[in-house]
Amino acid sequence: MRVNTKLVSWDEIVDWSIHLADIIKKDGFKPDLIVAVARGGFVPARLLCDFLGIDNMLSIQSQHWTEAAKMEERAIIKFPYYIDAKNLKILVVDDIVDTGDTLKLAKIYIEENWKPLSVKTAALQWISPVAKFKPDYYYIEVKEWIWFQYPWTRLEDTYQFIKRMMMETFKETGKREWTYEEILRGFHEWYGIDVGEAYYKRAMEILVEKEIVEFDPDRKIYKLRVT
Ligand code: ADP
């Protein structure tokens, strides 16, 4: 395996969210409003609404990561807006705290602009050795950096992973042409996970659409375009 990756199932997400909800309940924190950090925090936030019995949910979007396992320099709030939150206790939710920039930025943005009663933060996972920010609540402490392949980024991650594999292989060996079977085998070798046929098929369609690879239907070959 070249990239340390863990495939996360929908069932695990539900299980982790239930446990996270229990931790928040035990602490006695009952938020009036849950704010999902888009897009990664959406599913966990919605599940926390269910498990904590919360009706109010909003989202703010922060932008930081451009592609799977690659980092841009800083996080920004993409569509800033104002709500009157002076009587509200807010819980800000994300999927994972990796660098910590996103959740920290969201918390500061909400405190300074919405001026709520209080703001707490929660994430399913916290990568403790790299994060500059520790959420108030988390379920799993990750001790070694891994790319978690969450179910809501499965297609996006799959085509980015394939693109990366093809580009790096080209740089290392000059190989540009791949059969579909070679791509599947390479994917397993590089990432150690299997995302299923539905994803590989669509990932290849996207790479062709984006003109990153071209498909030769006669030879059934995918060829990396190099400029
Ligand atoms: P945070 O402020 O929560 O640490 P980051 O700025 O580190 O967030 O990352 C932003 C988003 O990128 C995360 O909410 C998540 O959706 C995605 N992400 C970051 N690191 C990982 C990882 N190791 N595995 C899967 N997704 C990740």
Side-chain angles (χ1 to χ4, degrees):
M1 199 165 36
R2 294 233 198 164
V3 182
N4 213 357
T5 310
K6 172 174 166 31
L7 187 77
V8 181
S9 69
W10 284 111
D11 284 352
E12 278 173 303
I13 293 300
V14 174
D15 183 59
W16 297 354
S17 300
I18 289 187
H19 282 99
L20 182 58
D22 288 346
I23 290 165
I24 295 166
K25 254 197 259 173
K26 248 202 188 141
D27 191 50
F29 185 60
K30 178 94 181 158
D32 304 295
L33 169 68
I34 288 187
V35 177
V37 179
R39 296 168 295 163
F42 238 82
V43 175
R46 182 61 187 90
L47 291 171
L48 286 181
C49 285
D50 194 19
F51 300 135
L52 293 171
I54 311 291
D55 291 334
N56 303 322
M57 179 176 143
L58 289 178
S59 178
I60 55 175
Q61 182 158 20
S62 125
Q63 245 193 348
H64 189 148
W65 296 80
T66 44
E67 47 178 87
K70 280 203 175 167
M71 195 177 65
E72 264 214 339
E73 272 141 40
R74 57 190 210 101
I76 52 153
I77 299 292
K78 208 171 167 189
F79 303 106
Y81 62 94
Y82 168 79
I83 63 160
D84 180 0
K86 62 176 176 296
N87 297 319
L88 303 181
K89 284 178 280 161
I90 296 181
L91 181 67
V92 189
V93 178
D94 209 345
D95 47 6
I96 188 165
V97 176
D98 186 323
T99 67
D101 289 346
T102 305
L103 205 49
K104 187 174 163 202
L105 173 79
K107 182 185 155 104
I108 290 170
Y109 175 80
I110 289 170
E111 279 173 347
E112 287 181 352
N113 294 281
W114 298 1
K115 303 196 172 16
L117 271 184
S118 61
V119 186
K120 292 210 181 231
T121 53
L124 298 177
Q125 296 177 287
W126 170 52
I127 312 187
S128 55
V130 295
K132 290 170 269 165
F133 177 83
K134 184 181 180 183
D136 297 298
Y137 308 109
Y138 58 89
Y139 176 53
I140 294 171
E141 178 179 353
V142 179
K143 299 232 167 98
E144 194 189 348
W145 192 91
I146 293 180
W147 184 260
F148 291 93
Q149 206 305 287
Y150 296 121
W152 47 83
T153 52
R154 198 143 288 162
L155 183 55
E156 198 175 305
D157 283 359
T158 301
Y159 82 73
Q160 305 267 22
F161 278 2
I162 293 172
K163 174 181 166 190
R164 178 170 170 185
M165 173 181 82
M166 291 177 90
M167 295 193 22
E168 286 187 20
T169 303
F170 172 69
K171 267 191 240 145
E172 284 167 20
T173 68
K175 175 184 170 66
R176 281 178 68 189
E177 296 191 341
W178 296 67
T179 65
Y180 184 67
E181 287 67 32
E182 276 180 320
I183 291 168
L184 297 202
R185 227 179 302 128
F187 191 92
H188 299 155
E189 278 168 23
W190 271 61
Y191 304 104
I193 59 170
D194 183 9
V195 295
E197 194 78 359
Y199 288 97
Y200 301 122
K201 279 255 160 65
R202 283 170 177 80
M204 293 321 295
E205 280 167 21
I206 291 169
L207 290 174
V208 170
E209 248 171 55
K210 288 185 180 291
E211 301 188 343
I212 292 159
V213 302
E214 53 193 315
F215 181 62
D216 178 344
D218 298 326
R219 294 169 61 224
K220 293 199 166 49
I221 289 286
Y222 290 96
K223 187 170 180 183
L224 181 70
R225 285 170 179 253
V226 280
T227 44

